[in-house]
Amino acid sequence: MPSLVFLAGPIAGRRYKLADGEYVIGRRSDCQIFVPDMRVSRQHARLWKTGEAWEIEDLGSNNGTFVNGVKVQTATQIRHDDEILIANNRIRVETRESSPDSKLPGEGNVTIVNVTGNESLIRSREDSSSGRLPIVSSGILSVADQRAVRLLERKLDALTQILHATAASDTSEALIQKLVDALLELFPQAEDVGVLVEDERTGELKVQAQRHRKQSFGGDLKVPGTIIQHVISDRRGVLLGETADENDEGVGTRMGAPLIFHGVHYGVVYVESKHAGFRQEDVDLLQTVATQTGLAMHATRVAAQLARREKLERDLRVARQIQRSLLPANVPQVVGLEFAVHYEPAYQIGGDFYDFIWHDPSHLGLCVGDVAGKAISAALYMARLTSELRSRAAIARTPARLLRRVNQEIAQLGDDGMFATLVYCIYDLENRSLVFTNAGHCVPLLRRGDRVFPLQAERAHTPPLGVTQELEAGEARVQLHSGDMLIMVSDGILEARDARGNDYGLSKLSRRIRTARGKVDDVVKAILADIDSHCGDQGQQGDDMTLVAMSIDQRRAKRKTTTLPGAEGGTEAPDQTIDGDEDD
């Protein structure tokens, strides 16, 4: 099956398999190929299958789409081994299926000749699988040379056994178990062998595998501290020389070597003999075994990490689909009202949420919230919170009552440090009034004409949900007019940062809302474009971004306005009164 393989970027190593159909690449969470990179546009590029070929086009992105270094201007056909570049994301195209019966390429890459005349054809020997080549002494080799050849032979045996053990092991634990068995074969004089592995969390050495030639251990493996100290500090094999032979060469009964790869220390291999001694060639051999085992351990751990990462990413993709299913599939269809929504999690799944909830046929609830935290824990908390909001909306007719009842349930979850901020509004379709409460969330904004006002009132301030069992919730009422536009955002919008670390902020948001033209969809697009311009190429966004906007049809009659306290020069602003905080 054709695939796109990400070679560089925040999701390097991920493979997307392509079936028939159309695929959009972008950083919006609903893109078929989701790339969490701020340099990638929300809908950056599109690819589709035409006949037997695949084509790609750029969707008006800021940073462009390139195929083999050439910028895509129109629909461009892509082929096997082409490289797509989107910002810093390098993507390889794989359209060719590999099979065991693939033929050799016939374009001059491989030349095949027949063996004739004096040339000889050399085959492997029947017994070469053991890795041992017989040593034939001519009588000319010195004793030292014969020992060197014997050591080389033993090293070849050791490498062969380690390779077999690596091929047969899918975890470092299984590899180590096979290693201790191999050590008893490589060192006939050894009686006790063991492998100490460094704990990844504490850094403490712990015995992971041990063997005794005659019987199983009756207790823990005892390794001399001198060996541990020298092996770790010197990063090389150590033999404790206890005596000397007739050639004044050190002989010892205990030796160790480090399991190490590219400076990363994984543990220590220890071998002990009660009677027969080890020599220099033995500790050299043990060092060879330890070096190869360190490499094999590194490879198995990397493979395990990749497998865990792949499983986590697969779980996150499923969780993202589930979370998206919990959010509204469509905006409400209401005569006289227009809605626009943008939802963009910073990660596969996020803590932001929004909802539209009908309390009755004439009262529509709107909310935007943010759960403290990210990823799965925040998503689960969000799912519970939105479920409580929906289930209690019919019996709680005001925002303050609804939040008090929902908080009683959320506070009982007992998740340490978990809480949620949100703005909840109820819009009355008959008299165009809006009642709202703000539980520690970003201030909603109201555009009226060429002015933008923050919807805030002292009595509408409410603590975040989930902090305390008893929530002191208040609410405020504002009269809306035809032509008004309500904008609710999460903190990811206000805290989007540029290269210098400056937030986008409420003032820039208000200015862009005031100057934007067109329908509510156009205003939302203008805000997002302004945020992109502010942030520039900042890589992955730091927080979820959610924006919900509602506009009242311009064709409807205007309503009464008064002057909002604090507005400049008696500027017209929303009528605002405070409802009493009724008890349930």
Side-chain angles (χ1 to χ4, degrees):
M1 178 179 290
S3 302
L4 295 183
V5 181
F6 280 74
L7 305 177
I11 57 173
R14 184 176 299 176
R15 176 187 297 270
Y16 283 92
K17 295 183 178 180
L18 304 177
D20 291 344
E22 181 178 293
Y23 295 82
V24 175
I25 304 173
R27 77 169 193 265
R28 271 180 47 168
S29 61
D30 57 350
C31 290
Q32 288 84 2
I33 301 178
F34 171 61
V35 185
D37 186 341
M38 284 293 288
R39 291 176 290 265
V40 177
S41 297
R42 291 177 171 85
Q43 290 185 311
H44 196 107
R46 179 175 70 98
L47 67 155
W48 67 95
K49 190 174 183 181
T50 303
E52 295 300 319
W54 285 85
E55 294 186 352
I56 188 170
E57 69 174 354
D58 188 82
L59 297 178
S61 64
N62 292 331
N63 293 318
T65 303
F66 299 80
V67 175
N68 298 328
V70 179
K71 189 171 185 178
V72 174
Q73 304 289 356
T74 59
T76 302
Q77 185 172 332
I78 54 177
R79 298 175 175 83
H80 182 71
D81 267 351
D82 280 353
E83 184 172 292
I84 302 171
L85 183 65
I86 295 178
N88 290 337
N89 298 271
R90 289 174 42 236
I91 311 166
R92 184 176 68 236
V93 179
E94 294 184 356
T95 60
R96 190 176 301 161
E97 296 287 348
S98 60
S99 66
D101 301 326
S102 299
K103 297 181 179 179
L104 291 173
E107 300 179 356
N109 295 327
V110 177
T111 302
I112 303 176
V113 298
N114 293 325
V115 178
T116 59
N118 295 326
E119 289 90 354
S120 61
L121 183 63
I122 303 175
R123 294 182 174 88
S124 61
R125 292 196 282 195
E126 295 293 332
D127 60 347
S128 62
S129 61
S130 66
R132 177 185 292 264
L133 296 177
I135 302 298
V136 179
S137 175
S138 63
I140 301 176
L141 292 177
S142 66
V143 174
D145 289 339
Q146 291 184 32
R147 291 178 61 180
V149 172
R150 186 170 66 249
L151 176 60
L152 178 60
E153 181 188 64
R154 294 177 66 192
K155 284 186 177 182
L156 290 174
D157 274 349
L159 293 177
T160 301
Q161 293 197 40
I162 296 300
L163 288 173
H164 287 171
T166 304
S169 307
D170 55 358
T171 64
S172 58
E173 291 78 10
L175 173 64
I176 290 171
Q177 294 295 334
K178 295 181 183 298
L179 171 63
V180 292
D181 292 333
L183 288 173
L184 289 176
E185 294 183 22
L186 293 171
F187 299 100
Q189 68 272 49
E191 297 180 22
D192 302 336
V193 297
V195 177
L196 293 81
V197 175
E198 188 174 290
D199 187 275
E200 294 185 57
R201 293 186 301 105
T202 65
E204 180 183 355
L205 284 174
K206 297 181 179 179
V207 177
Q208 186 160 323
Q210 52 189 349
R211 292 286 188 277
H212 192 278
R213 187 172 295 279
K214 296 181 179 179
Q215 59 186 9
S216 58
F217 275 99
D220 294 335
L221 181 69
K222 296 180 180 179
V223 182
T226 305
I227 286 185
I228 298 294
Q229 179 182 353
H230 284 285
V231 165
I232 294 176
S233 61
D234 298 345
R235 294 178 177 265
R236 58 188 302 178
V238 172
L239 169 65
L240 290 185
E242 299 168 352
T243 60
D245 61 9
E246 63 277 5
N247 297 319
D248 201 28
E249 180 182 355
V251 178
T253 58
R254 292 169 292 182
M255 59 180 180
L259 296 171
I260 193 170
F261 178 75
H262 279 191
V264 179
H265 192 272
Y266 292 114
V268 174
V269 179
Y270 176 69
V271 181
E272 180 177 331
S273 174
K274 301 298 183 184
H275 306 290
F278 300 112
R279 300 175 183 272
Q280 179 66 52
E281 65 179 71
D282 295 310
V283 74
D284 290 343
L285 175 60
L286 185 63
Q287 179 63 62
T288 300
V289 172
T291 300
Q292 296 304 313
T293 304
L295 170 60
M297 288 183 65
H298 175 77
T300 54
R301 289 194 179 189
V302 168
Q305 290 172 359
L306 291 175
R308 288 195 298 269
R309 176 183 172 184
E310 183 178 350
K311 182 180 183 301
L312 176 61
E313 290 178 345
R314 185 168 59 250
D315 292 344
L316 288 175
R317 286 195 294 271
V318 173
R320 178 162 65 99
Q321 294 172 356
I322 294 174
Q323 185 186 31
R324 292 287 301 185
S325 69
L326 296 174
L327 298 174
N330 300 291
V331 298
Q333 302 298 314
V334 182
V335 175
L337 299 178
E338 289 187 1
F339 298 90
V341 172
H342 176 77
Y343 175 77
E344 184 178 341
Y347 305 96
Q348 288 274 13
I349 52 179
D352 278 11
F353 63 94
Y354 68 93
D355 210 346
F356 302 99
I357 303 173
W358 287 100
H359 289 249
D360 58 50
S362 62
H363 291 85
L364 174 63
L366 304 87
C367 74
V368 171
D370 185 8
V371 174
K374 295 289 178 291
I376 295 177
S377 60
L380 293 175
Y381 196 93
M382 180 272 284
R384 176 65 184 274
L385 177 57
T386 55
S387 174
E388 291 292 338
L389 287 170
R390 293 170 183 174
S391 65
R392 298 178 182 277
I395 57 176
R397 296 302 182 92
T398 69
R401 288 182 177 179
L402 178 60
L403 263 59
R404 279 197 295 268
R405 293 184 175 182
V406 170
N407 180 75
Q408 291 175 353
E409 299 297 326
I410 293 298
Q412 294 176 5
L413 294 180
D415 291 318
D416 293 338
M418 295 290 288
F419 63 91
T421 66
L422 79 156
V423 170
Y424 197 94
C425 309
I426 297 180
Y427 180 70
D428 189 329
L429 273 64
E430 295 180 354
N431 60 28
R432 292 183 178 174
S433 66
L434 185 80
V435 182
F436 68 93
T437 185
N438 190 334
H441 198 70
C442 305
V443 177
L445 298 175
L446 179 65
R447 188 178 83 171
R448 174 166 295 168
D450 61 354
R451 303 290 295 174
V452 175
F453 305 97
L455 288 186
Q456 54 186 351
E458 188 65 30
R459 286 298 300 273
H461 292 172
T462 300
L465 273 63
V467 177
T468 60
Q469 281 282 351
E470 298 298 326
L471 185 72
E472 296 182 4
E475 57 193 32
R477 183 186 303 271
V478 60
Q479 186 65 47
L480 300 186
H481 296 176
S482 61
D484 285 352
M485 184 179 295
L486 174 69
I487 293 94
M488 304 161 67
V489 302
S490 67
D491 56 359
I493 298 287
L494 302 181
E495 296 175 2
R497 291 184 172 88
D498 62 13
R500 297 182 178 180
N502 299 316
D503 290 346
Y504 181 66
L506 188 62
S507 60
K508 285 189 176 182
L509 175 62
S510 300
R511 183 164 59 249
R512 194 67 192 96
I513 293 172
R514 185 173 62 252
T515 58
R517 294 294 177 261
K519 296 184 177 182
V520 65
D521 274 332
D522 300 317
V523 173
V524 169
K525 290 177 181 178
I527 294 171
L528 297 175
D530 199 39
I531 292 173
D532 285 345
S533 176
H534 172 80
C535 294
D537 294 339
Q538 292 299 303
Q540 184 171 332
Q541 68 192 57
D543 200 358
D544 307 331
M545 293 185 179
T546 303
L547 195 157
V548 173
M550 179 187 77
S551 65
I552 300 177
D553 199 310
Q554 293 278 6
R555 295 171 297 178
R556 302 191 64 177
K558 293 184 178 180
R559 296 291 180 115
K560 180 181 177 182
T561 58
T562 60
T563 300
L564 178 68
E568 297 180 4
T571 304
E572 285 194 344
D575 289 336
Q576 186 163 293
T577 58
I578 307 299
D579 280 357
D581 185 9
E582 302 178 11
D583 294 331
D584 290 339

